[in-house]
Amino acid sequence: MLFSMFFGAGNLILPPLLGLQAGSEAVSAMAGFLAAGIGLPVLGIVAVAVCGGVRELAGRVSPLFASVFIALMYLTIGPFLAIPRTSSTAFEMLKPLLPAADAAGATMMAVVFSVAFFGVAFALALRPGLLSRVLGRFSAPALILLIVLVVGASVLGGAGEPAAPHAPYAESAVSHGFLTGYQTMDLLAALCFGIVVAANVRELGVSDPKRVAGSISSAGVIAGALMMAIYCGLGFVGASMGAAMPDATNGAAILTASASAHFGAAGTVIVAAIFLLACLNVCTGLISCCSEYFSEAVPRVPLAAWAALFAVFSCAVSLLGLDAILAFSAPLLGALYPPAIVLVIMGLLHRQCDRLPRMWPWAVLVTAAFSVIVGLRDAFAPGLWLPLDALPFAAMGLGWVLPAVAGAVVGAVLSRVPAPSPRSR
């Protein structure tokens, strides 16, 4: 279930495009991608499990930060970006199989598809027990089988030689692969999915908090292993298509071309089925976890009402089109990911960090301030130079690392300074 909730359209599109563009540097680039796209989400699942929940984790910074940051995470992986993207991407992949139509007819087909898509996702999201049975026992195995068909055909059909790497993979394959992993949004999803996984574990009769945490961590490791195998396979497909499609800019087109080369017209159907299953799985999981969170945060509004609100809003946003949805994704993810990474690292070391309580606000808030400033620049003035660009690793998109370390050091020192006594005041 956790694998199918993670594995959406972005997870399908990014690895083959990375493999093709990285070419002979595909192994190095994939290593960076796996670190961000699998390593961080798995660590995020474990951090949430050992800390008792994402609110308990973020609350160590401050209650206000926890409320704002968690809401932004859920809205980002929910109705603002990820949920509408699932429907738009699935429809784009189904277009070649639909009858030709004029602009009005195409719009009507998009509306009908989006309404049906979100109707099914809404129905599944309201029943967590059904979620694990449908996603875990049917959708995920079917999705894996279809991907194995495409990757296996590429491997057995004779792989082409990888091309020379495109920029920026030619100079910094590992770091650019790491930043590409941000676009999966899986770290943010990992911090949010814990609530849904915990609900399913408890429905299976597990009530002891330690056993619940252990089950969630095990699920994260298993899901990560499945994703790693598939990412590497999809990356191989992309690298093998370097000579045939040297100028490709879309991972979906690479997968379609590879499947069509080995299966003919049936290849288009196979790829469309892969995307439809993956997108529906993720959409269902996101509606479920977002509804769970906001129904707990605002208990006056029932879970079903939140799910309906997110489904209807996302349905409307999806009709704006995939390009409009993706236009603001990179700056938003660039602002949220660095503080999320710092939270996960400190969550894994929470016993040590809790002994130095001021480390939490200093490390996380300094990182958040840096990433928000850079994110605003990237969104509204991408060519503007900032003094922050002179920091180490800034050229690789990792300029937040030094501020995070400096904030942690300041927080640790301040935690060791004894509070002044009433007399000295």
Side-chain angles (χ1 to χ4, degrees):
M1 181 195 72
L2 188 60
F3 163 80
S4 61
M5 289 169 68
F6 272 128
F7 205 84
N11 308 76
L12 284 165
I13 293 173
L14 295 171
L17 184 60
L18 178 147
L20 185 142
Q21 293 184 338
S24 57
E25 294 293 327
V27 174
S28 298
M30 183 57 70
F33 181 82
L34 293 176
I38 294 179
L40 290 178
V42 170
L43 293 178
I45 286 285
V46 176
V48 169
V50 299
C51 290
V54 65
R55 180 166 291 280
E56 288 74 14
L57 173 60
R60 286 170 161 84
V61 178
S62 78
L64 177 61
F65 172 82
S67 298
V68 173
F69 185 74
I70 295 171
L72 284 175
M73 281 199 308
Y74 274 103
L75 292 173
T76 299
I77 69 165
F80 286 176
L81 181 59
I83 295 179
R85 187 175 74 175
T86 59
S87 175
S88 298
T89 304
F91 181 72
E92 288 294 326
M93 297 307 300
L94 287 175
K95 272 186 178 179
L97 304 177
L98 299 175
D102 56 17
T107 301
M108 181 56 64
M109 286 190 290
V111 171
V112 171
F113 173 83
S114 186
V115 170
F117 182 90
F118 283 107
V120 174
F122 170 73
L124 288 173
L126 290 181
R127 303 181 62 184
L130 183 63
L131 194 69
S132 63
R133 290 195 296 273
V134 172
L135 297 192
R137 299 179 186 178
F138 171 72
S139 294
L143 175 61
I144 293 170
L145 177 61
L146 291 172
I147 293 174
V148 167
L149 282 175
V150 174
V151 174
S154 179
V155 173
L156 298 177
E161 289 294 325
H166 297 199
Y169 291 105
E171 297 179 356
S172 54
V174 176
S175 63
H176 193 70
F178 185 83
L179 294 178
T180 301
Y182 282 16
Q183 298 178 41
T184 65
M185 292 187 283
D186 282 346
L187 173 58
L188 303 183
L191 296 176
C192 299
F193 283 166
I195 188 173
V196 177
V197 180
N200 278 270
V201 170
R202 293 188 183 99
E203 278 200 8
L204 295 174
V206 181
S207 57
D208 180 66
K210 291 185 178 180
R211 290 188 62 198
V212 171
S215 298
I216 295 173
S217 301
S218 298
V221 172
I222 294 171
L226 282 172
M227 291 168 67
M228 180 181 297
I230 291 176
Y231 281 159
C232 292
L234 293 175
F236 177 86
V237 172
S240 67
M241 295 293 289
M245 305 177 67
D247 299 321
T249 58
N250 189 307
I254 297 170
L255 286 178
T256 302
S258 177
S260 299
H262 295 98
F263 297 104
T268 304
V269 178
I270 292 173
V271 172
I274 290 173
F275 274 82
L276 180 60
L277 275 175
C279 291
L280 183 60
N281 291 347
V282 170
C283 181
T284 301
L286 291 176
I287 291 177
S288 179
C289 74
C290 290
S291 302
E292 289 273 1
Y293 172 74
F294 281 99
S295 66
E296 291 184 3
V298 187
R300 291 183 180 180
V301 181
L303 185 146
W306 281 113
L309 174 64
F310 291 143
V312 171
F313 181 85
S314 300
C315 181
V317 173
S318 71
L319 297 176
L320 298 175
L322 190 58
D323 291 341
I325 295 170
L326 296 177
F328 59 89
S329 63
L332 183 58
L333 294 174
L336 289 175
Y337 246 77
I341 293 173
V342 175
L343 268 178
V344 168
I345 294 173
M346 296 184 70
L348 295 172
L349 303 172
H350 69 97
R351 292 183 180 177
Q352 292 78 14
C353 294
D354 287 345
R355 296 171 187 159
L356 303 167
R358 293 188 182 181
M359 277 186 64
W360 290 93
W362 273 92
V364 176
L365 294 180
V366 168
T367 305
F370 175 93
S371 61
V372 167
I373 291 171
V374 174
L376 290 173
R377 186 274 307 275
D378 293 343
F380 300 107
L384 179 67
W385 185 87
L386 294 173
L388 299 175
D389 295 329
L391 289 172
F393 314 118
M396 297 186 293
L398 301 173
W400 55 269
V401 172
L402 184 59
V405 173
V409 171
V410 171
V413 172
L414 292 177
S415 297
R416 292 294 188 185
V417 176
S421 63
R423 291 185 178 180
S424 63
R425 291 176 186 172

